[in-house]
Amino acid sequence: MVNRTRWAAVVVALVGLLVGSAGSAQAATWSSTDKWGTWSNGGYTVRNNVWGSGTGPQTIWANSYGNWGVWADHPNTGGVKSYPHSARNVDRKLSGLSRLSSSFNVTRPGSGAYATAYDIWADNHAYEVMIWVNKQGAVGPIGARETTVSVGGHTWDVHRGSNGSNQVFSFVRTSNTNSGTVDVLAVLRWIGTRGWYGDVTIGDVQFGFEITSSAGGMDFRSNSFSITT
C-alpha cells in the first residue's frame, strides 16, 4: 500500500524544486528563450543577446529595465557566448553632455566565467568602451594594459586594443563589486583627454553580463539599474 502522506510530501518537494529552479522567469512581467529576445520598457531595451558560437540555453526575464536577469547554461568551451543586458540610447555628442551616470546592484554566481560590465558605443560603433565592475573565472579584456587610473568614482586597469571591427577601451575595476554608482561621463571624457577619440557621439549605454561559461545552469540578476543624464 502507498503511504499517502509520504507521497504527498514528495510531490510538494518536487513542485517547490521546480518553482525554485525556474526562478523569477515564471513570475516576471516578460521572459523569453529566443536568442534575440527583446523587450522595451521605460525608454530602455532589455535584450537576451545570445550571439556567440557553441551556446547553450538561456532564458531572460524582466519586471522592468532595472530588475531583470537570466538563467544560462553555456558550456566551458571558451569564447563569449552571450551578453544579456539592459540598454538606453543616449544619442548625444560628448561635448553636449553635462551628466551621464549609472547605478547598479547585481546578484551573480560564484563560479563560471563572465564579466559584469557596461558596454558603451560611440560614433556608430567605431568605438567601444567597456567598464567591468566585476569578473569571475578565465576572462580578460581586449588589448594591452595601458595604465591604472582612478576616475568616475572607482579605480581601473585600463586596456586598449581592437576586435578587428572597432577600437575597444576596457576599464577593469581593480577589485570586484556588486553595487555602486559610476560617473560614466568622467570615464568617457578621460579617454578624450588621452587623444584616443574626439568629440564622439555616444549611442547605446548597455549594462549586463558578458558570459563565457555557466555550465550546469547559473542565475545572473540585475536587482536594480538606471542611467541618469
Side-chain angles (χ1 to χ4, degrees):
M1 179 180 293
V2 176
N3 186 320
R4 293 184 178 180
T5 301
R6 182 178 180 183
W7 176 248
V10 170
V11 170
V12 169
L14 286 172
V15 169
L17 179 62
L18 289 170
V19 171
S21 63
S24 299
Q26 283 190 349
T29 302
W30 171 80
S31 65
S32 176
T33 58
D34 187 272
K35 286 185 175 184
W36 312 111
T38 62
W39 182 62
S40 296
N41 174 255
Y44 294 70
T45 302
V46 182
R47 301 184 178 100
N48 206 20
N49 198 29
V50 182
W51 62 267
S53 60
T55 62
Q58 180 172 297
T59 299
I60 190 167
W61 58 267
N63 293 310
S64 69
Y65 63 81
N67 176 223
W68 62 275
V70 295
W71 176 89
D73 185 3
H74 298 301
N76 185 20
T77 52
V80 176
K81 305 299 192 302
S82 67
Y83 179 58
H85 63 266
S86 180
R88 180 178 170 186
N89 186 259
V90 175
D91 194 27
R92 290 172 66 183
K93 285 281 192 181
L94 184 59
S95 61
L97 288 168
S98 59
R99 183 179 184 187
L100 179 57
S101 66
S102 179
S103 296
F104 65 92
N105 182 293
V106 299
T107 301
R108 60 191 180 91
S111 58
Y114 61 87
T116 306
Y118 290 87
D119 202 1
I120 302 163
W121 298 93
D123 274 6
N124 195 27
H125 290 198
Y127 301 100
E128 180 180 10
V129 180
M130 295 205 73
I131 301 175
W132 293 26
V133 296
N134 63 57
K135 57 187 174 67
Q136 168 70 38
V139 295
I142 290 172
R145 180 183 169 278
E146 293 278 337
T147 188
T148 299
V149 64
S150 293
V151 65
H154 306 264
T155 302
W156 321 92
D157 287 327
V158 183
H159 295 249
R160 181 187 182 194
S162 172
N163 62 15
S165 300
N166 48 259
Q167 291 292 306
V168 183
F169 312 119
S170 298
F171 291 70
V172 181
R173 199 175 190 276
T174 53
S175 61
N176 285 340
T177 186
N178 295 328
S179 63
T181 298
V182 179
D183 185 345
V184 177
L185 182 57
V187 173
L188 298 178
R189 284 176 171 170
W190 182 88
I191 297 171
T193 65
R194 303 283 289 195
W196 293 349
Y197 57 38
D199 189 17
V200 293
T201 298
I202 306 303
D204 263 6
V205 177
Q206 306 169 345
F207 176 78
F209 306 96
E210 189 175 69
I211 305 171
T212 295
S213 70
S214 54
M218 297 179 186
D219 281 305
F220 301 79
R221 299 170 183 251
S222 169
N223 301 310
S224 62
F225 159 70
S226 62
I227 295 169
T228 303
T229 57

